[in-house]
């Protein structure tokens, strides 16, 4: 989905609802990225304050080199400096080589690195390792974001050299935390047909940079807010905030890959990975992950009821 479009829609919807209220102060659920200066006469923030930079045009060579984490997200837990008292620079050390190979592992005692062959797919990379396991990476901005498509994301930055964690420091971390295990970042290859992706899907989970929304976002139901329809001709339609008649609609294309995932593209550039597991469709857009369930028809939701509820507060 286009992050700018979604941010603009959510902000506009929230401002619309609060403007219907008899109160002059905004509701506690209203969130804007850039607040207007406080003056005697309050002014509404401009919609442009919610926009985000456009995705960069990524070249294959942008992925070359050594990478180390600066942030790890595991479901709703965010680790920005350390993981289990271990500096992130020692974990998930990734080297992407120009010859189509890559290695990744933890620079801790007795830890072996995994080897991969990687492909450049419409701006993203697919790293394929042993046992039919894959890792996806993308660079929507300057960081490299690795993901498993369900809830683990690793934000990475370039480095000149890797560092080895001294054994004594690893032992100290173990003494304090017990046995240390690291989240396994991989997507298992599945035997799936493109027909299983085709159909209508409604959102029930949305996570962005570790902030999680389940079933609703700011009193708006996710199954009405974010909807997606995939067709047999490789076209994808993303609907934000309504049905066919009043929703903001973004058009994409999608294509099944060899390991059972699908690539979601806009203007020939990959913007996300789609995968199905246990009847749930996972949409991974680097710093955002959404979960969808399939429906025969999109659910009806009375958007006017949100304004009515706001006016009663």
């Amino acid at each position: 989905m286009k992050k700018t479009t979604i941010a603009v829609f959510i902000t506009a919807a929230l401002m619309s609802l609060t403007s219907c209220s008899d109160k002059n102060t905004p509701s506690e659920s209203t969130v804007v990225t850039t607040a207007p200066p406080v003056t005697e006469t309050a002014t509404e923030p401009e919609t442009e304050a919610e926009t985000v930079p456009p995705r960069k045009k990524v070249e294959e060579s942008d992925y070359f080199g050594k990478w180390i984490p600066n942030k790890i997200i595991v479901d709703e837990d965010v680790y920005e400096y350390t993981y289990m008292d271990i500096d992130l620079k020692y974990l998930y050390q990734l080297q992407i080589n120009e010859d189509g190979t890559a290695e990744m592992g933890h620079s801790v005692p007795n830890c072996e690195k995994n080897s991969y062959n990687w492909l450049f797919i419409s701006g993203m990379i697919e790293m394929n390792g042993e046992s039919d396991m894959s890792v996806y990476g993308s660079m929507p901005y300057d960081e490299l974001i690795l993901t498993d498509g369900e809830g683990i994301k690793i934000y990475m930055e370039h480095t000149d050299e890797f560092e080895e964690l001294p054994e004594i420091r690893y032992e100290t971390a173990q003494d304090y935390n017990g046995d240390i295990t690291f989240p396994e970042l991989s997507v298992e290859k599945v035997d799936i047909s493109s027909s299983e992706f085709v159909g209508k899907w409604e959102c029930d989970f949305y996570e962005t940079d570790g902030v999680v929304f389940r079933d609703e976002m700011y009193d708006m139901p996710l199954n009405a807010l974010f909807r997606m329809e995939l067709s047999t001709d490789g076209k994808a339609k993303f609907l934000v905030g309504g049905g066919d008649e009043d929703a903001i609609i973004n058009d994409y294309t999608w294509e099944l890959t060899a390991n059972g995932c699908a690539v979601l593209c806009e203007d020939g550039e990959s913007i996300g990975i789609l995968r199905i597991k246990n009847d749930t469709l996972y949409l991974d857009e680097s710093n955002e992950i959404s979960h969808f369930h399939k429906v025969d028809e999109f659910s009806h939701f009375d958007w006017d009821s949100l304004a009515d509820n706001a006016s009663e507060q």
Side-chain angles (χ1 to χ4, degrees), residues 3 7 24 26 190 200 215 217 258:
K3 298 178 181 63
N24 292 325
V190 294
K200 294 180 171 66
D215 297 325
M217 175 187 291

Side-chain angles (χ1 to χ4, degrees), residues 6-68:
I6 290 177
V8 168
F9 171 79
I10 293 174
T11 303
L14 291 170
M15 290 174 60
S16 175
L17 294 180
T18 54
S19 67
C20 294
S21 173
D22 292 332
K23 299 180 180 180
N24 292 325
T25 57
S27 67
E28 293 181 357
S29 62
T30 304
V31 177
V32 292
T33 301
T34 304
V38 178
T39 60
E40 292 184 1
T41 302
T43 58
E44 291 185 347
E46 296 182 356
T47 302
E48 286 75 13
E50 287 292 332
T51 62
V52 296
R55 297 173 69 97
K56 63 177 291 186
K57 175 72 173 179
V58 181
E59 304 293 340
E60 184 175 354
S61 59
D62 292 334
Y63 290 97
F64 298 165
K66 295 179 172 66
W67 299 85
I68 55 175

